[in-house]
Amino acid sequence: MSDELVPKVDGTVRVHDGARLRFSVFSTGIRTRRVALIHSLALARDFWARVVPRLVEHADVLTYDCRGHGESDAVTKDFATPQFADDLADLLEALGWSRTLVAGCSMGGNIAQEFAASYPERVSGSVFCDTTQWYGPEAPVTWRERAEKARAGGMAELLPFQLPRWFGDDFTDAHPDVVERLTSTFVANDLDAYAATCRMLGDADLRALAPRIERPSAVVVGSEDYATPPDMAKQLAEAIGASLTVLPGAKHLTPVERPDEVAAAILDTLDRAEA
């Protein structure tokens, strides 16, 4: 299946504090089935390029650049997950989407949790990929250290750490174009926005949100994900009563590495929402 798909709409929406969010909508027509996809840290909406073609025959699909990422504004110097959830709510309001399945990977999974808990009336289902409720007691320090390393040496300084966590060698060898596209986006990040996002993730503790996240929901993780390991995924799934899928051999960015399985989890969750 080709990963190249032209969006029906490319646009910009201004949200509550004046930040402009860049978005794309993929559609073959007006549908009631809708999916909003939220990308990983320091990447952008084309993160989902391998999943969208597998969804668009079944649902309208929204991808967008989160605040401070890609072509979207940062505006503020400090970020928080409720702010990112409000951004998505404003974007959906502008598009006229009253309800949607929301799916996020890594950072996007944190935002999806916040959105699902804060706006349950707008959520038909949730899929959380390669993410966690809480990065642990050392997270505020370790995430700030990562941001300072980027400030000192540039984003490219982080690639030797980042790439082996994203993908296995087999995927990297088989898909050099995909890896190059993602690394180009990664190194182009604004350092202030990256640092603000790192602080947000380090400080995030979303465990109290679990009782407010309604079913149906699903959790997907790679068996070799060292950033948010399967144990973290299991804790999230148990806390919210979600199904759990562990993809053998996959690492941290399963929507890129294993798009068939991730798309299947999203479509299954849509089907369960309609049952």
Side-chain angles (χ1 to χ4, degrees):
M1 178 179 293
S2 172
D3 298 334
E4 296 297 325
L5 196 64
V6 176
K8 184 176 182 180
V9 179
D10 264 328
T12 303
V13 163
R14 195 176 294 273
V15 296
H16 47 279
D17 65 352
R20 294 169 300 176
L21 301 187
R22 188 72 174 166
F23 71 90
S24 299
V25 173
F26 300 84
S27 174
T28 58
I30 298 174
R31 292 196 181 94
T32 57
R33 294 182 115 202
R34 290 165 172 165
V35 178
L37 303 174
I38 314 172
H39 62 78
S40 181
L41 169 67
L43 298 175
R45 66 191 188 278
D46 66 349
F47 171 84
W48 294 97
R50 306 191 77 216
V51 173
V52 170
R54 292 158 169 84
L55 298 179
V56 75
E57 293 302 318
H58 308 278
D60 290 349
V61 182
L62 166 68
T63 63
Y64 69 103
D65 295 344
C66 290
R67 174 184 296 264
H69 292 70
E71 299 177 89
S72 292
D73 297 337
V75 177
T76 58
K77 294 182 179 180
D78 292 301
F79 295 161
T81 53
Q83 176 188 36
F84 279 56
D86 292 344
D87 287 344
L88 178 55
D90 289 349
L91 174 54
L92 294 175
E93 184 70 25
L95 294 175
W97 286 24
S98 58
R99 282 175 64 82
T100 182
L101 182 143
V102 60
C105 180
S106 193
M107 175 195 78
N110 300 135
I111 298 165
Q113 290 174 63
E114 189 76 59
F115 183 80
S118 300
Y119 295 94
E121 73 284 357
R122 307 202 70 155
V123 177
S124 57
S126 307
V127 178
F128 309 108
C129 300
D130 315 306
T131 193
T132 185
Q133 298 173 288
W134 182 49
Y135 288 94
E138 302 302 319
V141 173
T142 57
W143 278 100
R144 282 165 172 78
E145 288 174 347
R146 190 183 304 188
E148 288 309 309
K149 186 172 183 179
R151 285 192 185 281
M155 292 296 291
E157 184 76 13
L158 301 181
L159 285 176
F161 165 81
Q162 204 72 58
L163 283 174
R165 290 162 74 90
W166 282 354
F167 311 117
D169 291 341
D170 289 347
F171 181 88
T172 300
D173 292 342
H175 301 279
D177 55 330
V178 175
V179 176
E180 172 59 28
R181 172 170 56 81
L182 293 178
T183 55
S184 295
T185 300
F186 184 83
V187 300
N189 266 263
D190 176 84
L191 291 176
D192 288 338
Y194 180 73
T197 313
C198 286
R199 292 193 299 271
M200 176 182 79
L201 295 177
D203 293 343
D205 184 350
L206 309 178
R207 290 175 291 180
L209 301 182
R212 293 157 48 197
I213 297 175
E214 299 182 2
R215 300 184 182 102
S217 54
V219 176
V220 180
V221 67
S223 66
E224 307 304 313
D225 185 348
Y226 305 122
T228 52
D231 282 349
M232 285 185 171
K234 182 180 179 182
Q235 291 169 7
L236 172 60
E238 290 177 347
I240 63 178
S243 64
L244 173 63
T245 301
V246 180
L247 300 180
K251 289 202 170 182
H252 185 55
L253 299 186
T254 58
V256 180
E257 193 171 8
R258 304 285 282 274
D260 286 331
E261 291 97 324
V262 170
I266 292 171
L267 293 174
D268 175 70
T269 306
L270 276 173
D271 288 343
R272 288 190 285 135
E274 296 172 350

